[in-house]
Each structure stands twice: as C-alpha cells, then as structure tokens.
PDB file of all heavy atoms in Angstrom:
ATOM      1  N   ILE A   1       0.814  -1.259  -0.037  1.00 88.00           N
ATOM      2  CA  ILE A   1       0.001   0.001   0.001  1.00 88.00           C
ATOM      3  C   ILE A   1       0.813   1.224  -0.021  1.00 88.00           C
ATOM      4  O   ILE A   1       0.284   2.331   0.039  1.00 88.00           O
ATOM      5  CB  ILE A   1      -1.030   0.003   1.335  1.00 88.00           C
ATOM      6  CG1 ILE A   1      -0.253   0.240   2.494  1.00 88.00           C
ATOM      7  CG2 ILE A   1      -1.754  -1.150   1.180  1.00 88.00           C
ATOM      8  CD1 ILE A   1      -1.234   0.601   3.646  1.00 88.00           C
ATOM      9  N   TYR A   2       2.210   1.136  -0.058  1.00 92.00           N
ATOM     10  CA  TYR A   2       3.070   2.345  -0.017  1.00 92.00           C
ATOM     11  C   TYR A   2       3.400   2.839  -1.461  1.00 92.00           C
ATOM     12  O   TYR A   2       3.645   1.877  -2.260  1.00 92.00           O
ATOM     13  CB  TYR A   2       4.292   1.871   0.666  1.00 92.00           C
ATOM     14  CG  TYR A   2       4.307   2.149   2.273  1.00 92.00           C
ATOM     15  CD1 TYR A   2       3.382   1.446   3.089  1.00 92.00           C
ATOM     16  CD2 TYR A   2       5.180   3.120   2.864  1.00 92.00           C
ATOM     17  CE1 TYR A   2       3.283   1.662   4.317  1.00 92.00           C
ATOM     18  CE2 TYR A   2       5.047   3.334   4.273  1.00 92.00           C
ATOM     19  CZ  TYR A   2       4.186   2.679   4.946  1.00 92.00           C
ATOM     20  OH  TYR A   2       4.081   2.751   6.408  1.00 92.00           O
ATOM     21  N   ALA A   3       3.355   4.045  -1.551  1.00 95.00           N
ATOM     22  CA  ALA A   3       3.983   4.544  -2.820  1.00 95.00           C
ATOM     23  C   ALA A   3       5.514   4.518  -2.524  1.00 95.00           C
ATOM     24  O   ALA A   3       6.036   4.606  -1.454  1.00 95.00           O
ATOM     25  CB  ALA A   3       3.636   6.012  -2.978  1.00 95.00           C
ATOM     26  N   MET A   4       6.385   4.346  -3.694  1.00 96.00           N
ATOM     27  CA  MET A   4       7.705   4.229  -3.561  1.00 96.00           C
ATOM     28  C   MET A   4       8.431   4.970  -4.722  1.00 96.00           C
ATOM     29  O   MET A   4       7.772   5.243  -5.725  1.00 96.00           O
ATOM     30  CB  MET A   4       8.233   2.778  -3.677  1.00 96.00           C
ATOM     31  CG  MET A   4       7.558   1.830  -2.466  1.00 96.00           C
ATOM     32  SD  MET A   4       8.200   0.130  -2.471  1.00 96.00           S
ATOM     33  CE  MET A   4       9.927   0.444  -1.922  1.00 96.00           C
ATOM     34  N   GLY A   5       9.709   5.334  -4.479  1.00 97.00           N
ATOM     35  CA  GLY A   5      10.386   5.936  -5.522  1.00 97.00           C
ATOM     36  C   GLY A   5      11.821   5.938  -5.360  1.00 97.00           C
ATOM     37  O   GLY A   5      12.374   5.258  -4.523  1.00 97.00           O
ATOM     38  N   TRP A   6      12.440   6.447  -6.425  1.00 98.00           N
ATOM     39  CA  TRP A   6      14.026   6.541  -6.317  1.00 98.00           C
ATOM     40  C   TRP A   6      14.353   7.974  -6.561  1.00 98.00           C
ATOM     41  O   TRP A   6      13.848   8.766  -7.392  1.00 98.00           O
ATOM     42  CB  TRP A   6      14.507   5.777  -7.659  1.00 98.00           C
ATOM     43  CG  TRP A   6      14.439   4.274  -7.515  1.00 98.00           C
ATOM     44  CD1 TRP A   6      13.356   3.532  -7.919  1.00 98.00           C
ATOM     45  CD2 TRP A   6      15.292   3.334  -6.996  1.00 98.00           C
ATOM     46  NE1 TRP A   6      13.710   2.282  -7.710  1.00 98.00           N
ATOM     47  CE2 TRP A   6      14.857   2.021  -6.993  1.00 98.00           C
ATOM     48  CE3 TRP A   6      16.496   3.562  -6.138  1.00 98.00           C
ATOM     49  CZ2 TRP A   6      15.355   0.957  -6.483  1.00 98.00           C
ATOM     50  CZ3 TRP A   6      17.131   2.479  -5.612  1.00 98.00           C
ATOM     51  CH2 TRP A   6      16.628   1.087  -5.838  1.00 98.00           C
ATOM     52  N   HIS A   7      15.361   8.338  -5.730  1.00 98.00           N
ATOM     53  CA  HIS A   7      15.957   9.752  -5.873  1.00 98.00           C
ATOM     54  C   HIS A   7      17.544   9.453  -5.978  1.00 98.00           C
ATOM     55  O   HIS A   7      17.981   8.345  -5.629  1.00 98.00           O
ATOM     56  CB  HIS A   7      15.875  10.525  -4.593  1.00 98.00           C
ATOM     57  CG  HIS A   7      14.363  11.226  -4.495  1.00 98.00           C
ATOM     58  ND1 HIS A   7      13.242  10.302  -4.161  1.00 98.00           N
ATOM     59  CD2 HIS A   7      13.932  12.472  -4.653  1.00 98.00           C
ATOM     60  CE1 HIS A   7      12.176  11.117  -4.227  1.00 98.00           C
ATOM     61  NE2 HIS A   7      12.581  12.335  -4.517  1.00 98.00           N
ATOM     62  N   ARG A   8      18.239  10.514  -6.543  1.00 98.00           N
ATOM     63  CA  ARG A   8      19.674  10.261  -6.619  1.00 98.00           C
ATOM     64  C   ARG A   8      20.408  11.583  -6.119  1.00 98.00           C
ATOM     65  O   ARG A   8      19.699  12.653  -6.262  1.00 98.00           O
ATOM     66  CB  ARG A   8      20.046   9.879  -7.993  1.00 98.00           C
ATOM     67  CG  ARG A   8      19.849  11.045  -9.036  1.00 98.00           C
ATOM     68  CD  ARG A   8      20.103  10.403 -10.435  1.00 98.00           C
ATOM     69  NE  ARG A   8      20.020  11.524 -11.476  1.00 98.00           N
ATOM     70  CZ  ARG A   8      20.113  11.292 -12.733  1.00 98.00           C
ATOM     71  NH1 ARG A   8      20.315  10.121 -13.208  1.00 98.00           N
ATOM     72  NH2 ARG A   8      20.090  12.288 -13.709  1.00 98.00           N
ATOM     73  N   GLN A   9      21.636  11.451  -5.765  1.00 98.00           N
ATOM     74  CA  GLN A   9      22.216  12.603  -5.320  1.00 98.00           C
ATOM     75  C   GLN A   9      23.736  12.444  -5.769  1.00 98.00           C
ATOM     76  O   GLN A   9      24.509  11.560  -5.369  1.00 98.00           O
ATOM     77  CB  GLN A   9      22.279  12.677  -3.763  1.00 98.00           C
ATOM     78  CG  GLN A   9      22.906  14.003  -3.389  1.00 98.00           C
ATOM     79  CD  GLN A   9      22.574  14.274  -1.835  1.00 98.00           C
ATOM     80  OE1 GLN A   9      22.300  13.452  -1.069  1.00 98.00           O
ATOM     81  NE2 GLN A   9      22.662  15.597  -1.451  1.00 98.00           N
ATOM     82  N   ALA A  10      24.160  13.388  -6.623  1.00 97.00           N
ATOM     83  CA  ALA A  10      25.601  13.435  -7.143  1.00 97.00           C
ATOM     84  C   ALA A  10      26.328  14.339  -6.191  1.00 97.00           C
ATOM     85  O   ALA A  10      25.889  15.153  -5.481  1.00 97.00           O
ATOM     86  CB  ALA A  10      25.531  13.976  -8.521  1.00 97.00           C
ATOM     87  N   PRO A  11      27.686  14.144  -6.117  1.00 92.00           N
ATOM     88  CA  PRO A  11      28.439  14.949  -5.319  1.00 92.00           C
ATOM     89  C   PRO A  11      28.357  16.515  -5.525  1.00 92.00           C
ATOM     90  O   PRO A  11      28.324  16.870  -6.572  1.00 92.00           O
ATOM     91  CB  PRO A  11      29.980  14.522  -5.760  1.00 92.00           C
ATOM     92  CG  PRO A  11      29.802  13.126  -6.146  1.00 92.00           C
ATOM     93  CD  PRO A  11      28.517  13.115  -6.966  1.00 92.00           C
ATOM     94  N   GLY A  12      28.122  17.204  -4.389  1.00 94.00           N
ATOM     95  CA  GLY A  12      27.962  18.592  -4.517  1.00 94.00           C
ATOM     96  C   GLY A  12      26.656  19.040  -5.078  1.00 94.00           C
ATOM     97  O   GLY A  12      26.372  20.175  -5.263  1.00 94.00           O
ATOM     98  N   LYS A  13      25.650  18.036  -5.220  1.00 95.00           N
ATOM     99  CA  LYS A  13      24.297  18.428  -5.766  1.00 95.00           C
ATOM    100  C   LYS A  13      23.337  18.040  -4.837  1.00 95.00           C
ATOM    101  O   LYS A  13      23.462  17.225  -3.936  1.00 95.00           O
ATOM    102  CB  LYS A  13      24.071  17.700  -7.213  1.00 95.00           C
ATOM    103  CG  LYS A  13      25.098  17.969  -8.233  1.00 95.00           C
ATOM    104  CD  LYS A  13      25.061  19.350  -8.710  1.00 95.00           C
ATOM    105  CE  LYS A  13      26.044  19.657  -9.805  1.00 95.00           C
ATOM    106  NZ  LYS A  13      26.017  21.012 -10.364  1.00 95.00           N
ATOM    107  N   GLN A  14      22.154  18.706  -4.999  1.00 95.00           N
ATOM    108  CA  GLN A  14      20.907  18.220  -4.084  1.00 95.00           C
ATOM    109  C   GLN A  14      20.397  16.934  -4.695  1.00 95.00           C
ATOM    110  O   GLN A  14      20.428  16.717  -5.815  1.00 95.00           O
ATOM    111  CB  GLN A  14      19.974  19.386  -4.184  1.00 95.00           C
ATOM    112  CG  GLN A  14      20.273  20.655  -3.563  1.00 95.00           C
ATOM    113  CD  GLN A  14      19.180  21.830  -3.346  1.00 95.00           C
ATOM    114  OE1 GLN A  14      18.468  21.776  -4.188  1.00 95.00           O
ATOM    115  NE2 GLN A  14      19.254  22.455  -2.310  1.00 95.00           N
ATOM    116  N   ARG A  15      19.770  16.331  -3.768  1.00 96.00           N
ATOM    117  CA  ARG A  15      18.954  15.139  -4.057  1.00 96.00           C
ATOM    118  C   ARG A  15      17.853  15.451  -5.110  1.00 96.00           C
ATOM    119  O   ARG A  15      17.174  16.430  -4.858  1.00 96.00           O
ATOM    120  CB  ARG A  15      18.529  14.459  -2.815  1.00 96.00           C
ATOM    121  CG  ARG A  15      17.845  13.040  -3.038  1.00 96.00           C
ATOM    122  CD  ARG A  15      17.440  12.363  -1.711  1.00 96.00           C
ATOM    123  NE  ARG A  15      18.610  12.090  -0.890  1.00 96.00           N
ATOM    124  CZ  ARG A  15      18.714  11.690   0.364  1.00 96.00           C
ATOM    125  NH1 ARG A  15      17.547  11.358   0.941  1.00 96.00           N
ATOM    126  NH2 ARG A  15      19.718  11.380   1.074  1.00 96.00           N
ATOM    127  N   GLU A  16      17.687  14.536  -6.035  1.00 96.00           N
ATOM    128  CA  GLU A  16      16.615  14.884  -6.977  1.00 96.00           C
ATOM    129  C   GLU A  16      15.742  13.605  -7.307  1.00 96.00           C
ATOM    130  O   GLU A  16      16.345  12.494  -7.205  1.00 96.00           O
ATOM    131  CB  GLU A  16      17.203  15.463  -8.360  1.00 96.00           C
ATOM    132  CG  GLU A  16      18.234  14.458  -9.016  1.00 96.00           C
ATOM    133  CD  GLU A  16      18.852  15.035 -10.291  1.00 96.00           C
ATOM    134  OE1 GLU A  16      18.536  16.181 -10.512  1.00 96.00           O
ATOM    135  OE2 GLU A  16      19.577  14.292 -10.830  1.00 96.00           O
ATOM    136  N   LEU A  17      14.675  13.845  -7.610  1.00 96.00           N
ATOM    137  CA  LEU A  17      13.711  12.723  -8.053  1.00 96.00           C
ATOM    138  C   LEU A  17      14.172  12.054  -9.306  1.00 96.00           C
ATOM    139  O   LEU A  17      14.492  12.736 -10.250  1.00 96.00           O
ATOM    140  CB  LEU A  17      12.229  13.247  -8.129  1.00 96.00           C
ATOM    141  CG  LEU A  17      11.233  12.218  -8.629  1.00 96.00           C
ATOM    142  CD1 LEU A  17      10.958  11.157  -7.522  1.00 96.00           C
ATOM    143  CD2 LEU A  17      10.030  12.973  -9.021  1.00 96.00           C
ATOM    144  N   VAL A  18      14.071  10.749  -9.363  1.00 98.00           N
ATOM    145  CA  VAL A  18      14.324   9.938 -10.549  1.00 98.00           C
ATOM    146  C   VAL A  18      12.940   9.355 -11.103  1.00 98.00           C
ATOM    147  O   VAL A  18      12.589   9.529 -12.269  1.00 98.00           O
ATOM    148  CB  VAL A  18      15.335   8.875 -10.325  1.00 98.00           C
ATOM    149  CG1 VAL A  18      15.459   7.984 -11.542  1.00 98.00           C
ATOM    150  CG2 VAL A  18      16.670   9.374  -9.874  1.00 98.00           C
ATOM    151  N   ALA A  19      12.330   8.661 -10.217  1.00 98.00           N
ATOM    152  CA  ALA A  19      11.116   8.002 -10.679  1.00 98.00           C
ATOM    153  C   ALA A  19      10.219   7.704  -9.373  1.00 98.00           C
ATOM    154  O   ALA A  19      10.784   7.542  -8.384  1.00 98.00           O
ATOM    155  CB  ALA A  19      11.304   6.746 -11.486  1.00 98.00           C
ATOM    156  N   VAL A  20       8.977   7.554  -9.600  1.00 98.00           N
ATOM    157  CA  VAL A  20       8.096   7.133  -8.512  1.00 98.00           C
ATOM    158  C   VAL A  20       7.009   6.184  -9.048  1.00 98.00           C
ATOM    159  O   VAL A  20       6.591   6.195 -10.228  1.00 98.00           O
ATOM    160  CB  VAL A  20       7.338   8.442  -8.015  1.00 98.00           C
ATOM    161  CG1 VAL A  20       6.477   9.112  -9.063  1.00 98.00           C
ATOM    162  CG2 VAL A  20       6.575   8.030  -6.703  1.00 98.00           C
ATOM    163  N   ILE A  21       6.540   5.280  -8.175  1.00 97.00           N
ATOM    164  CA  ILE A  21       5.610   4.235  -8.525  1.00 97.00           C
ATOM    165  C   ILE A  21       4.607   4.132  -7.433  1.00 97.00           C
ATOM    166  O   ILE A  21       4.846   4.198  -6.329  1.00 97.00           O
ATOM    167  CB  ILE A  21       6.137   2.925  -8.919  1.00 97.00           C
ATOM    168  CG1 ILE A  21       5.027   1.937  -9.265  1.00 97.00           C
ATOM    169  CG2 ILE A  21       6.965   2.447  -7.533  1.00 97.00           C
ATOM    170  CD1 ILE A  21       5.657   0.646  -9.973  1.00 97.00           C
ATOM    171  N   SER A  22       3.173   4.221  -7.814  1.00 96.00           N
ATOM    172  CA  SER A  22       2.237   4.291  -6.777  1.00 96.00           C
ATOM    173  C   SER A  22       1.858   2.893  -6.300  1.00 96.00           C
ATOM    174  O   SER A  22       2.450   1.895  -6.911  1.00 96.00           O
ATOM    175  CB  SER A  22       0.856   4.838  -7.422  1.00 96.00           C
ATOM    176  OG  SER A  22       0.362   4.016  -8.214  1.00 96.00           O
ATOM    177  N   SER A  23       1.074   2.695  -5.279  1.00 92.00           N
ATOM    178  CA  SER A  23       0.726   1.397  -4.815  1.00 92.00           C
ATOM    179  C   SER A  23      -0.012   0.677  -5.816  1.00 92.00           C
ATOM    180  O   SER A  23       0.062  -0.571  -5.697  1.00 92.00           O
ATOM    181  CB  SER A  23      -0.044   1.592  -3.454  1.00 92.00           C
ATOM    182  OG  SER A  23      -1.327   2.338  -3.764  1.00 92.00           O
ATOM    183  N   SER A  24      -0.630   1.285  -6.818  1.00 92.00           N
ATOM    184  CA  SER A  24      -1.345   0.706  -7.821  1.00 92.00           C
ATOM    185  C   SER A  24      -0.603   0.486  -9.076  1.00 92.00           C
ATOM    186  O   SER A  24      -1.077  -0.208 -10.051  1.00 92.00           O
ATOM    187  CB  SER A  24      -2.684   1.418  -8.137  1.00 92.00           C
ATOM    188  OG  SER A  24      -2.392   2.685  -8.660  1.00 92.00           O
ATOM    189  N   GLY A  25       0.644   0.857  -9.059  1.00 94.00           N
ATOM    190  CA  GLY A  25       1.549   0.604 -10.127  1.00 94.00           C
ATOM    191  C   GLY A  25       1.696   1.643 -11.131  1.00 94.00           C
ATOM    192  O   GLY A  25       2.380   1.620 -12.139  1.00 94.00           O
ATOM    193  N   ASP A  26       1.136   2.762 -11.001  1.00 96.00           N
ATOM    194  CA  ASP A  26       1.202   3.977 -11.876  1.00 96.00           C
ATOM    195  C   ASP A  26       2.613   4.655 -11.765  1.00 96.00           C
ATOM    196  O   ASP A  26       3.086   4.743 -10.482  1.00 96.00           O
ATOM    197  CB  ASP A  26       0.143   5.139 -11.674  1.00 96.00           C
ATOM    198  CG  ASP A  26      -1.206   4.576 -11.916  1.00 96.00           C
ATOM    199  OD1 ASP A  26      -1.311   3.703 -12.792  1.00 96.00           O
ATOM    200  OD2 ASP A  26      -2.150   4.968 -11.188  1.00 96.00           O
ATOM    201  N   THR A  27       3.202   5.018 -12.798  1.00 97.00           N
ATOM    202  CA  THR A  27       4.604   5.497 -12.747  1.00 97.00           C
ATOM    203  C   THR A  27       4.853   6.793 -13.260  1.00 97.00           C
ATOM    204  O   THR A  27       4.058   7.297 -14.201  1.00 97.00           O
ATOM    205  CB  THR A  27       5.569   4.552 -13.526  1.00 97.00           C
ATOM    206  OG1 THR A  27       5.066   4.375 -14.868  1.00 97.00           O
ATOM    207  CG2 THR A  27       5.512   3.140 -12.867  1.00 97.00           C
ATOM    208  N   LYS A  28       5.790   7.531 -12.835  1.00 97.00           N
ATOM    209  CA  LYS A  28       6.137   8.854 -13.382  1.00 97.00           C
ATOM    210  C   LYS A  28       7.779   9.057 -13.284  1.00 97.00           C
ATOM    211  O   LYS A  28       8.245   8.430 -12.387  1.00 97.00           O
ATOM    212  CB  LYS A  28       5.523  10.071 -12.464  1.00 97.00           C
ATOM    213  CG  LYS A  28       3.931  10.151 -12.627  1.00 97.00           C
ATOM    214  CD  LYS A  28       3.428  11.356 -11.928  1.00 97.00           C
ATOM    215  CE  LYS A  28       2.034  11.404 -12.009  1.00 97.00           C
ATOM    216  NZ  LYS A  28       1.394  12.702 -11.316  1.00 97.00           N
ATOM    217  N   TYR A  29       8.291   9.756 -14.214  1.00 97.00           N
ATOM    218  CA  TYR A  29       9.704   9.912 -14.310  1.00 97.00           C
ATOM    219  C   TYR A  29      10.037  11.328 -14.469  1.00 97.00           C
ATOM    220  O   TYR A  29       9.374  12.116 -15.011  1.00 97.00           O
ATOM    221  CB  TYR A  29      10.143   9.131 -15.493  1.00 97.00           C
ATOM    222  CG  TYR A  29       9.863   7.691 -15.511  1.00 97.00           C
ATOM    223  CD1 TYR A  29       8.608   7.069 -16.028  1.00 97.00           C
ATOM    224  CD2 TYR A  29      10.745   6.746 -14.936  1.00 97.00           C
ATOM    225  CE1 TYR A  29       8.353   5.792 -15.990  1.00 97.00           C
ATOM    226  CE2 TYR A  29      10.441   5.413 -14.939  1.00 97.00           C
ATOM    227  CZ  TYR A  29       9.248   4.897 -15.463  1.00 97.00           C
ATOM    228  OH  TYR A  29       9.008   3.535 -15.425  1.00 97.00           O
ATOM    229  N   ALA A  30      11.340  11.607 -13.981  1.00 96.00           N
ATOM    230  CA  ALA A  30      11.897  12.791 -14.321  1.00 96.00           C
ATOM    231  C   ALA A  30      12.219  12.860 -15.748  1.00 96.00           C
ATOM    232  O   ALA A  30      12.489  11.808 -16.306  1.00 96.00           O
ATOM    233  CB  ALA A  30      13.360  12.994 -13.521  1.00 96.00           C
ATOM    234  N   ASN A  31      12.177  14.085 -16.312  1.00 95.00           N
ATOM    235  CA  ASN A  31      12.388  14.195 -17.818  1.00 95.00           C
ATOM    236  C   ASN A  31      13.578  13.609 -18.388  1.00 95.00           C
ATOM    237  O   ASN A  31      13.670  12.987 -19.501  1.00 95.00           O
ATOM    238  CB  ASN A  31      12.157  15.692 -18.263  1.00 95.00           C
ATOM    239  CG  ASN A  31      10.751  16.314 -18.104  1.00 95.00           C
ATOM    240  OD1 ASN A  31       9.842  15.375 -18.217  1.00 95.00           O
ATOM    241  ND2 ASN A  31      10.646  17.548 -17.941  1.00 95.00           N
ATOM    242  N   TYR A  32      14.713  13.775 -17.638  1.00 94.00           N
ATOM    243  CA  TYR A  32      16.051  13.389 -17.961  1.00 94.00           C
ATOM    244  C   TYR A  32      16.200  11.909 -17.982  1.00 94.00           C
ATOM    245  O   TYR A  32      17.296  11.368 -18.514  1.00 94.00           O
ATOM    246  CB  TYR A  32      17.112  14.031 -17.156  1.00 94.00           C
ATOM    247  CG  TYR A  32      17.004  13.858 -15.667  1.00 94.00           C
ATOM    248  CD1 TYR A  32      17.494  12.734 -15.034  1.00 94.00           C
ATOM    249  CD2 TYR A  32      16.322  14.955 -15.003  1.00 94.00           C
ATOM    250  CE1 TYR A  32      17.285  12.651 -13.752  1.00 94.00           C
ATOM    251  CE2 TYR A  32      16.227  14.856 -13.569  1.00 94.00           C
ATOM    252  CZ  TYR A  32      16.729  13.642 -12.905  1.00 94.00           C
ATOM    253  OH  TYR A  32      16.588  13.472 -11.617  1.00 94.00           O
ATOM    254  N   VAL A  33      15.286  11.085 -17.466  1.00 94.00           N
ATOM    255  CA  VAL A  33      15.409   9.626 -17.552  1.00 94.00           C
ATOM    256  C   VAL A  33      14.248   9.011 -18.405  1.00 94.00           C
ATOM    257  O   VAL A  33      14.380   7.819 -18.560  1.00 94.00           O
ATOM    258  CB  VAL A  33      15.406   8.991 -16.249  1.00 94.00           C
ATOM    259  CG1 VAL A  33      16.535   9.633 -15.295  1.00 94.00           C
ATOM    260  CG2 VAL A  33      14.044   9.141 -15.493  1.00 94.00           C
ATOM    261  N   LYS A  34      13.397   9.802 -18.831  1.00 89.00           N
ATOM    262  CA  LYS A  34      12.287   9.205 -19.680  1.00 89.00           C
ATOM    263  C   LYS A  34      12.829   8.472 -20.893  1.00 89.00           C
ATOM    264  O   LYS A  34      13.685   8.925 -21.604  1.00 89.00           O
ATOM    265  CB  LYS A  34      11.323  10.267 -20.036  1.00 89.00           C
ATOM    266  CG  LYS A  34      10.394  10.895 -19.019  1.00 89.00           C
ATOM    267  CD  LYS A  34       9.476  11.814 -19.476  1.00 89.00           C
ATOM    268  CE  LYS A  34       8.516  12.477 -18.515  1.00 89.00           C
ATOM    269  NZ  LYS A  34       7.650  13.513 -18.945  1.00 89.00           N
TER     270      LYS A  34
END
C-alpha cells in the first residue's frame, strides 16, 4: 500500500527525483530519464 520511488544525489548536488511508482503501479519519471 506504500508509494515508492527513487532519488539520486551526485557529489555537490541536491537530491533529485528519478522516478516514482504508486501502490497501484502507476509510474512517473523525471524528464532526463524518460
């Protein structure tokens, strides 16, 4: 029942969203990884 996702953090950079998936399986992506 949990939504889940991936973030990434490069050296010297802020953490940023990569992708997310809902509990029902719907997905969204950052533009740079689509």
Side-chain angles (χ1 to χ4, degrees):
I1 69 170
Y2 274 62
M4 301 186 71
W6 292 93
H7 287 71
R8 68 187 186 186
Q9 188 167 24
K13 303 294 184 180
Q14 292 186 327
R15 188 175 294 176
E16 62 183 1
L17 175 71
V18 176
V20 61
I21 185 166
S22 73
S23 60
S24 61
D26 295 326
T27 60
K28 293 183 178 180
Y29 300 89
N31 288 335
Y32 51 83
V33 303
K34 286 182 179 178

